[in-house]
Structures are given as C-alpha cells and as structure tokens.
C-alpha cells in the first residue's frame, strides 16, 4: 500500500551515504572531521525533532534538556560508576525516554504557544538542575576527561572513528524514522498535525501517538548527548541551554514539515555557520569572527526569511523539485 | 454480543458538559436500526456536545450510551470507531494539506490495508467528484467537495452508525440536495443515521423521526411529519427557515 521507494531517492541516498562515509578517507584534517561529527550529532537530534514537530506538529522548546540528560547520564555512568559506554548509552536512553513521557503529558492538554511555554519551563528547570547537581554534573564547570566511546576493547579514539560512529548512528536513526513516517503510524502523525479532532474521528489514538513521538524524539536527543559527551570529552551546562533548544526549532522550521531530508539539510547548514572556516577554505579570521558574532542574528534572519518566502521550508523545495513523490506520502 | 431487538443507538439519562459547566441534562434518545433520525435546535442548544458525548470526545457525568446493545459509555473515541460509530464533525475537520486520497486513507485507519481500495471505490461511486479530485489537497476543494470528503472519510471506517453534525452548513441548495441524496443511499444500504441540522425543515423532510433540543434537554420528539406539522415547532424552530419560499 505504501509503494516501493522511488529509484531516484535510492540513488540520492546512496550517493549521500557514500560521500558522508568517505569523508575521513579523503581528509585527515581533524578540525573538519570534528565539525562534521558535530553535524552528525545534531542530525540525530533533528531526526527526532522532525518527527515531533514536522510530522506530529508538536512544539518543544525543551529538547536541549534531553540532549543534556543523555550526555550527563552517560558520562556519569562511565566515569563514576565504571560502566562500559554502551551501558551509559542505555542509561541515557532510558532516562530521556522517561523524560519524554513526562513532557508528553502537558501536550495532551496544551497546544501551540502554551505547549511551547510548558516545554520551555522544563528546559529551564533542567538547566538549573545541570548547574546545581554538582556531584553528578560537576556544576557550572561541567565534567571533563570523559573517556572515548568504546565497545568492548574497541575504542573510537581518533577523529575519523568518532565521525564514523556518530554518522553510523545517525544513518540508523534516519532509516528508522523513514520507516516510521511511511507507516500507518506516520500518516496518523501527520493527521494529528492537520486536525486533532479529525484524527480522533478517524479512530486515531492521538494520546498514544503524542506520547510515542515525545518518547522517540527525547531518546534520540539523549542518544545524541551520550555520543557528544564521549566524543568531545567535556560537557558543561551551556551546551544544553535554551539557545540550543531554539537552534533545534530553527533547524526544524527551516527544514520544513512533513519531511526528513529537509530538516537534515537545514541542520547541516545551520550547524556549519559558526564553523564556516572548516568548509570555506581561505576564510579570513576576521570574517569568521564576524560570522560567529552575528550567528544568532543569522539564525533569526534565516527563520524570518523562510517564514516569508518558503513557508514550507527546505522540505517543500525538495517536493517542488520532485513532485509526486517524497517521504510525505 | 448484541441482540437483534436492540436499538442502534440508545442514549438514556445522559448528562455531560465541559469542566464544571453542564451542557446536557438527562437526555433520552433512541435511534432504531436503519432509521434516519434528526436532532434539531437553536444555536448553543448542545447538539454538537451530544454527538461528542456519544463518540467519547466529551465525558458524560451521568447516564449511558448503548450501541447495538453494547455499552459504549465513556469508551474512547478510537474504540467507538472500531465499534462501528463514525462522526462527521462540525466544520468537517479535514486534513487540509493532505490529498483527498490520503484523507480517505486516514478514514480507514482502523481498517486493514486490504479493505482500502474497495471501500474507497464505494466512496467515489457515491461522490464521483472526489474521484476526479483524488490527488488534490483537501484545503483546495470547494465547500461542497469538502463536505463530501468529510462524509466519505467517515464511511471509510465502515460504520454501522453515522453521526453527522450540520453537513449542510454554508452550502448551496444544489450541493445540499446532493449530500442528502447520498445520505438516502447510505440509509438504503442499512447504515443508521443520526443527523444534527440547523435547517430543521430540510432535516425533517428526510428523516423518519426528529428530536428537538432546547438548552441542553430534549424538548419534544416525534415522527418527522408530525413535527413538521406541529404549530409550536413551526413557530419556534421553523420560523427561521433558511431557503424560505419553497
Ligand atoms: N469546548 C467547549 N468548552 C466549553 N463550553 C463549550 C465547548 N463547546 C461548546 N460549549 C458550550 O456548550 C453549549 C452547547 O454547545 P454546542 O456546540 O453543543 O451547541 P450546538 O447546539 O451544537 O450549537 P450550534 O448549532 O451553534 O452548532 C454552548 O453554550 C457552548 O458555549
Ligand atoms: Mg454544533
């Protein structure tokens, strides 16, 4: 009933996959790999945000908190409890899934701005908790010396290995999300976005869908946190502030609704802005500093421009280029 | 599970409201199998609230709802749909950005994928214009086409009982006639219908029986032609007939 994936889509995805995974073999520049590893971490988070915001139409201004919970949980489990990294990841996922369940509860009663405020409150509370829970989080100074991700005796201890690990996880997350949006549940999610009452009248369990999509998106953010902490080796509360939540929403808005590819492209673009020197060779130091200084404004202007000129975001541009197909079917 | 003698829908002593505000008080209403019954009343009388209470969108504070003999009081809306109850909500509540076909697919959410195309074709047979518009997004349809899609979407769940909330609202007489003709067809297929209407005369012309609602309670009920002839009704509810001069 869903049809087979279009051949063009398969080709594009295959080429993108090869390009992404070949990068560490084409360059040995650590900085470039680090930057793109960071892009991959954000892609994992945005995969969940795309489901939550772009498909189910639920706003969250608190997802940076899940990112943080995942990072601290995994770092704490590995450093202080001596757990192996995969167990730290599991803890990160369990905690953030539970958090996602809790955050879903207001979504059952609140919509739009009110839900945004409730999730914003959650994010702010967690930020305070990150600062105050010194024994676990190291307080405002954060945690440093977090060991590399390791599976058994194998350590992902070079920039290239960390890159592959993160993008491997991102690819799996995207594949799972792709299967979700093409399923009956994915269509029901989009229906929720269209009209909750209409969806209910169709016999769609909107409570169940909201809870599931919050849990999935929260645990993807938690998973990304557990990767970030160990790849970077250092975490502090500022990494998980409101600013990050807003950036995530910006990526989701720029990416557009009812699309996975759009938000992924938006994430790559917006994540690269402060690291423009990694992708633009010969970019002068002062130009980079200007970009970094104006970073927030660039995000803000991007959102305004998208709202004005391409309300459907990058996703709608993709659909326009390839009419009659796409994930949104 | 249900005896043949039981009514399609049996509402008894039903009270319901929003929060602490009670809107419905002690409602009794029965629809026999295969019947078309209409519920009329002024704006704000509580007609939509009654339909919502029946499908589980509003929780009743007292009373019961039975569907083909089975108790469905306080059942979740998604269970109610599975039990054979479908609602065409007030204001249609379509999925605007999605195509006609996708809206129909969502209507069949509780049904297996194999049943989809046969059921969709039955809807297209009922409303051929939807077939021509199948790839078009619901938001770009005309008002009449949207109402047809709303009815079609409800039918995709293969209901035994259909609840409609003001399907004629804002539509031209020709389109209204088309929709009511479709309702007659559905009734001839054995689907039981409870129809909420503002246009009392139109509704009573098509229905077998009617109930008149006044501020949250049933003021009177009876055979449709009796209600049409009733002087009080003529004065109060049919006085504001739209489409006067027939
Ligand atoms: N969601 C709600 N919250 C609170 N009160 C509501 C809500 N929906 C309806 N009401 C109130 O319940 C009463 C009945 O409303 P309802 O929509 O059932 O009337 P109606 O008979 O369908 O009217 P109309 O013909 O205008 O559609 C009204 O007084 C209305 O203000
Ligand atoms: Mg109403």
């Amino acid at each position: 009933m869903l049809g087979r994936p279009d051949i063009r889509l398969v080709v594009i995805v295959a080429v993108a996959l090869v390009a992404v995974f070949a990068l560490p073999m084409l360059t040995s520049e650590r900085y470039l790999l680090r930057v793109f590893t960071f892009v991959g971490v954000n892609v994992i988070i945005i995969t969940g945000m795309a489901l939550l915001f772009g498909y189910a139409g639920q706003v969250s201004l608190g997802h940076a908190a899940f990112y943080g919970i995942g990072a601290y949980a995994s770092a704490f489990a590995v450093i202080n409890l001596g757990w192996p990294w995969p167990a730290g990841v599991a803890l990160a996922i369990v905690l953030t899934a539970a958090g996602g369940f809790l955050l879903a509860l207001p979504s059952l009663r609140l919509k739009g701005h009110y839900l945004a405020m409730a999730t914003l409150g959650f994010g702010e509370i967690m930020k305070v908790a990150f600062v105050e829970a010194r024994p676990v989080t190291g307080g405002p100074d954060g945690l440093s010396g977090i060991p590399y991700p390791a599976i058994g005796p194998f350590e992902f201890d070079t920039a290239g290995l960390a890159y592959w690990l993160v993008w491997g996880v991102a690819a799996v997350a995207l594949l799972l999300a792709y299967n979700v949006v093409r399923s009956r549940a994915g269509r029901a999610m989009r229906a929720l976005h269209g009209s909750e009452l209409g969806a209910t009248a169709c016999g769609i369990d909107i409570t169940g869908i909201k809870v599931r999509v919050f849990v999935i998106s929260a645990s993807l953010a938690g998973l990304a946190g557990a990767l970030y902490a160990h790849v970077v080796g250092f975490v502090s509360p500022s990494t998980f502030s409101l600013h990050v939540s807003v950036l995530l929403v910006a990526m989701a808005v720029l990416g557009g609704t009812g699309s996975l590819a759009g938000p992924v492209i938006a994430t790559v673009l917006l994540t690269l802005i402060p690291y423009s020197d990694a992708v633009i060779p010969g970019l002068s130091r002062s130009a980079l500093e200007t970009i970094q200084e104006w970073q927030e404004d660039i995000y803000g202007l991007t959102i305004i421009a998208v709202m004005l000129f391409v309300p459907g975001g990058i996703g709608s541009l993709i659909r326009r280029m390839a009419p009659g197909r796409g994930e949104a079917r | 599970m249900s005896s043949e003698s039981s009514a399609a829908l049996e509402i008894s002593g039903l009270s319901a409201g929003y929060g602490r505000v009670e809107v419905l008080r002690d409602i009794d209403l029965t629809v026999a199998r295969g019947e078309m019954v209409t519920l009329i009343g002024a704006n704000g009388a509580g007609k939509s609230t009654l339909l919502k209470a029946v499908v589980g969108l509003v929780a009743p504070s007292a009373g019961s709802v039975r569907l083909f003999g089975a108790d469905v009081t306080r059942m979740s809306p998604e269970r109610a749909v599975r039990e054979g109850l479908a609602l065409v909500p007030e204001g249609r509540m379509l999925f605007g950005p999605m195509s006609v076909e996708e809206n129909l697919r969502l209507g069949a959410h509780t049904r297996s994928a194999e049943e989809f195309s046969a059921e969709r074709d039955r809807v297209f047979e009922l409303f051929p214009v939807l077939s021509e518009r199948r790839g078009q997004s619901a938001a770009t349809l005309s008002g009449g086409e949207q109402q047809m899609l709303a009815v079609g979407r409800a039918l995709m769940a293969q209901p035994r009982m259909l609840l409609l909330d003001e399907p004629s609202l804002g539509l031209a007489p020709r389109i209204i006639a088309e929709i009511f003709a479709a309702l007659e067809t559905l009734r001839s297929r054995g689907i039981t219908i409870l129809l909420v209407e503002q246009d009392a005369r139109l509704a009573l012309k098509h229905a077998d029986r009617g109930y008149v609602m006044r501020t949250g309670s049933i003021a009177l009920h009876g055979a449709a032609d009796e209600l049409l002839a009733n002087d009080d009704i003529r004065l109060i509810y049919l006085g504001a007939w739209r489409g006067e001069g027939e």
Side-chain angles (χ1 to χ4, degrees):
Chain A
M1 86 186 193
L2 290 163
R4 304 223 320 272
D6 170 309
I7 190 79
R8 265 190 305 175
L9 180 66
V10 173
V11 171
I12 293 172
V13 168
V15 170
L17 269 180
V18 169
V20 164
F21 283 92
L23 186 71
M25 292 181 280
L26 302 176
T27 175
S28 54
E29 222 205 293
R30 275 178 49 98
Y31 179 57
L32 186 71
L33 287 177
R34 282 265 175 253
V35 167
F36 275 92
T37 304
F38 194 46
V39 171
V41 169
N42 281 347
V43 164
I44 296 169
I45 308 176
I46 213 66
T47 303
M49 290 292 285
L51 295 177
L52 181 73
F53 174 80
Y55 282 87
Q58 306 298 304
V59 186
S60 170
L61 278 171
H63 263 56
F66 295 120
Y67 186 31
I69 292 170
Y72 282 117
S74 172
F76 181 79
V78 171
I79 297 176
N80 294 41
L81 306 178
W83 290 12
W85 178 70
V89 172
L91 178 67
I93 290 176
V94 168
L95 287 179
T96 48
F101 180 81
L102 290 180
L103 200 61
L105 300 181
S107 82
L108 303 178
R109 294 190 152 266
L110 306 176
K111 289 192 183 81
H113 307 310
Y114 299 100
L115 178 59
M117 292 312 285
T119 55
L120 177 76
F122 169 76
E124 290 304 287
I125 290 169
M126 287 315 300
K127 196 190 157 189
V128 172
F130 294 153
V131 175
E132 296 302 325
R134 278 167 197 275
V136 178
T137 63
D141 301 335
L143 291 176
S144 53
I146 304 168
Y148 286 115
I151 298 174
F154 186 82
E155 277 205 343
F156 295 84
D157 56 0
T158 68
L161 287 174
Y163 172 94
W164 272 321
L165 173 67
V166 165
W167 277 99
V169 173
V172 172
L174 278 168
L175 182 68
L176 291 179
Y178 181 67
N179 280 318
V180 168
V181 301
R182 283 169 51 85
S183 71
R184 178 182 286 246
R187 195 186 299 118
M189 264 160 59
R190 289 196 297 133
L192 198 71
H193 198 172
S195 161
E196 288 198 9
L197 181 57
T200 310
C202 289
I204 292 168
D205 170 16
I206 62 173
T207 303
I209 290 189
K210 283 183 181 176
V211 168
R212 263 174 281 170
V213 75
F214 264 99
V215 167
I216 292 173
S217 65
S219 40
L220 280 172
L223 171 63
L227 283 161
Y228 174 86
H230 295 265
V231 164
V232 174
F234 169 75
V235 289
S236 76
S238 66
T239 315
F240 314 111
S241 63
L242 172 64
H243 157 78
V244 176
S245 285
V246 172
L247 176 59
L248 292 172
V249 171
M251 290 167 178
V253 170
L254 174 60
T257 57
S259 169
L260 288 175
V264 168
I265 294 170
T267 301
V268 175
L269 296 176
L270 292 190
T271 310
L272 286 178
I273 286 178
Y275 309 108
S276 304
D277 55 333
V279 281
I280 306 173
L283 187 75
S284 75
R285 177 124 216 110
S286 65
L288 179 68
E289 272 162 15
T290 312
I291 290 174
Q292 287 173 343
E293 219 167 285
W294 291 84
Q295 183 183 338
E296 313 278 307
D297 308 79
I298 296 173
Y299 292 154
L301 287 173
T302 313
I303 294 179
I304 294 170
V306 170
M307 298 282 198
L308 283 178
F309 302 113
V310 228
I314 296 174
S316 75
L317 292 180
I318 299 174
R319 273 192 290 275
R320 226 176 287 167
M321 284 188 294
R325 69 136 207 95
E327 320 124 286
R329 183 163 35 198
Chain B
M1 57 170 232
S2 59
S3 68
E4 269 309 308
S5 60
S6 58
L9 181 70
E10 202 174 347
I11 301 171
S12 30
L14 193 77
S15 298
Y18 303 93
R20 267 172 301 161
V21 186
E22 188 160 84
V23 173
L24 303 176
R25 271 181 315 279
D26 197 22
I27 303 277
D28 290 314
L29 185 153
T30 311
V31 184
R33 287 166 190 254
E35 225 184 356
M36 187 190 307
V37 169
T38 185
L39 176 63
I40 58 181
N43 286 111
K47 307 180 296 293
S48 298
T49 305
L50 180 58
L51 295 192
K52 286 190 202 161
V54 169
V55 300
L57 280 165
V58 168
S61 50
S64 71
V65 181
R66 299 180 81 80
L67 184 70
F68 297 99
D71 189 1
V72 298
T73 324
R74 292 186 190 80
M75 194 174 261
S76 70
E78 58 272 14
R79 277 289 304 285
V81 174
R82 286 173 205 274
E83 292 289 321
L85 193 61
L87 169 69
V88 181
E90 189 171 21
R92 299 157 199 153
M93 302 298 159
L94 295 170
F95 309 119
M98 298 193 189
S99 68
V100 166
E101 177 117 2
E102 283 181 302
N103 271 270
L104 295 179
R105 258 190 210 286
L106 281 157
H109 182 78
T110 53
R111 291 283 158 178
S112 77
E114 292 75 47
E115 293 168 273
F116 174 73
S117 30
E119 208 51 45
R120 176 201 55 196
D121 291 346
R122 276 160 74 87
V123 168
F124 284 166
E125 209 177 289
L126 196 63
F127 300 119
V129 66
L130 293 181
S131 165
E132 295 160 28
R133 303 265 184 272
R134 64 172 73 186
Q136 197 172 318
S137 72
T140 62
L141 298 178
S142 75
E145 291 162 350
Q146 288 189 359
Q147 190 61 57
M148 291 174 195
L149 180 55
V151 175
R153 185 180 68 181
L155 291 174
M156 293 303 294
Q158 301 178 33
R160 291 188 287 170
M161 164 118 221
L162 191 60
L163 311 177
L164 298 110
D165 200 344
E166 303 200 24
S168 74
L169 196 68
L171 302 181
R174 189 177 54 81
I175 307 290
I176 295 176
E178 213 173 309
I179 285 173
F180 273 80
L183 296 185
E184 298 281 2
T185 307
L186 295 175
R187 176 161 55 164
S188 72
R189 287 186 194 162
I191 297 180
T192 307
I193 295 174
L194 176 59
L195 170 72
V196 165
E197 260 298 340
Q198 283 274 320
D199 190 336
R201 171 152 70 168
L202 174 77
L204 288 170
K205 270 198 208 156
H206 285 85
D208 300 308
R209 291 188 304 120
Y211 284 78
V212 179
M213 205 169 183
R214 193 182 296 153
T215 55
S217 348
I218 300 295
L220 76 162
H221 64 100
D225 39 11
E226 282 171 24
L227 291 179
L228 270 174
N230 181 311
D231 284 340
D232 287 347
I233 302 281
R234 297 177 73 104
L235 217 59
I236 303 170
Y237 297 99
L238 309 184
W241 280 354
R242 287 174 283 184
E244 198 78 50
E246 271 185 74

